[in-house]
Amino acid sequence: MAPLTTPTSAAAGLRLVPGFFDRRQQEELVVALREVVRRAPLYTPVMPGTGKPFSVRMTNCGPLGWVSDPHGYRYQPMHPLTREPWPPIPEILMRAWAELADYSAPPQACLVNYYGPAARMGMHQDRDEEDLAAPVLSISLGATCRFRICAAVRSASTRSFLLTSGDALLLGGPSRLAFHGVDRIVAGTSTLLPDGGRINLTLRRVTKPQDEAPQRHYTS
Ligand code: SIN
Ligand code: FE2
C-alpha cells in the first residue's frame, strides 16, 4: 500500500498553505485573470520534439513567460501568437509572493495553466530557471486536483494529495527540483469557475537577482 501522506511530509522542503486565498480573494483573482487572458489569450502549447499538444491551455503574465514549442522549453518576453509583451502580474499575486516566498527579489514569470475536466499534467521538473534558490509558488483555483510529487528530486516513490481552490503550495529547498504532476481534476468540486475547470498559477523567479530594487518596492 502507498504510504499515507500529509502534504508537508510528501517531500522535504514542500510547504502547503491550505486556503491561503479566501473565496472573496479567489473571486478577485479570477477578475484579474480575465484581464490577463483578454490581453494574452490562452493557447494550446505543444511538446518539444513530438509536437504533441498539452492537455492544458496556457498563458503567462509578468516580464517573462514560460513557453513550450517544437524547439524546446524557454522563457520569453512575449506571447508566442500575438507577439505582444505579457501583461503584468496582478498585484494580489505579487503580495502573495512577498508574503510566502521568503525571497528577496520579485517573481518574473507567472504561468497560467487552465485545466478542463479531462486535462492533466505529466510528471516533470521545473528547471528552466537560472535561479533555483527561489521557490516556485503554485496557486490553485477552481476544481480540486490530485497533485503528485516525488519524495526526493528523483525517486521512484511518489506521494499524492489534493489541492483545492485557494491553496498555495511552495516548492522550495530540497523539493525545488522534485518531479511533480497533476493526475486528474475532480469534477464538481468548485463553483468558482463557471465551467468547472481548474486554474493553476505558478510564480517563478527566472534570473538571479542582481542590482534590482528590493521587493518592498513592488508591494504597497
Ligand atoms: C505544474 O507543475 O506545471 C502545474 C502544477 C499544478 O497544476 O498544480
Ligand atoms: Fe511544474
Side-chain angles (χ1 to χ4, degrees), residues 31-209:
V31 170
L33 291 170
R34 281 196 206 293
E35 175 61 12
V36 166
V37 167
R38 191 185 65 75
R39 292 174 59 180
L42 287 163
Y43 64 95
T44 301
V46 298
M47 296 292 291
T50 63
K52 187 171 178 278
F54 282 58
S55 63
V56 296
R57 291 196 293 148
M58 283 183 184
T59 190
N60 287 271
C61 47
L64 292 171
W66 185 87
V67 299
S68 174
D69 67 17
H71 305 290
Y73 303 134
R74 68 187 171 278
Y75 284 94
Q76 64 181 41
M78 77 280 179
H79 190 289
L81 303 179
T82 67
R83 314 302 289 177
E84 294 289 327
W86 305 106
I89 298 175
E91 263 309 310
I92 183 171
L93 292 173
M94 297 300 280
R95 287 196 298 269
W97 175 275
E99 194 171 328
L100 293 172
D102 190 23
Y103 196 71
S104 59
Q108 291 164 304
C110 175
L111 174 64
V112 180
N113 283 321
Y114 175 75
Y115 294 75
R120 54 185 294 280
M121 177 75 70
M123 296 294 277
H124 65 276
Q125 285 175 299
D126 288 16
R127 57 159 199 200
D128 299 316
E129 301 74 30
E130 171 196 310
D131 186 357
L132 295 172
V136 171
L137 170 58
S138 158
I139 310 286
S140 293
L141 292 173
T144 297
C145 80
R146 180 158 291 277
F147 181 84
R148 184 168 296 279
I149 188 162
C150 284
V153 170
R154 226 176 255 280
S155 159
S157 160
T158 68
R159 317 286 167 98
S160 76
F161 52 88
L162 299 176
L163 290 177
T164 65
S165 197
D167 289 356
L169 182 70
L170 288 141
L171 278 76
S175 70
R176 176 64 182 77
L177 286 173
F179 276 83
H180 59 277
V182 170
D183 290 353
R184 65 186 184 91
I185 303 306
V186 189
T189 44
S190 171
T191 55
L192 185 71
L193 305 173
D195 57 3
R198 171 175 184 261
I199 293 173
N200 177 255
L201 307 167
T202 39
L203 287 109
R204 305 186 187 120
R205 180 75 204 177
V206 180
T207 62
K208 292 189 175 143

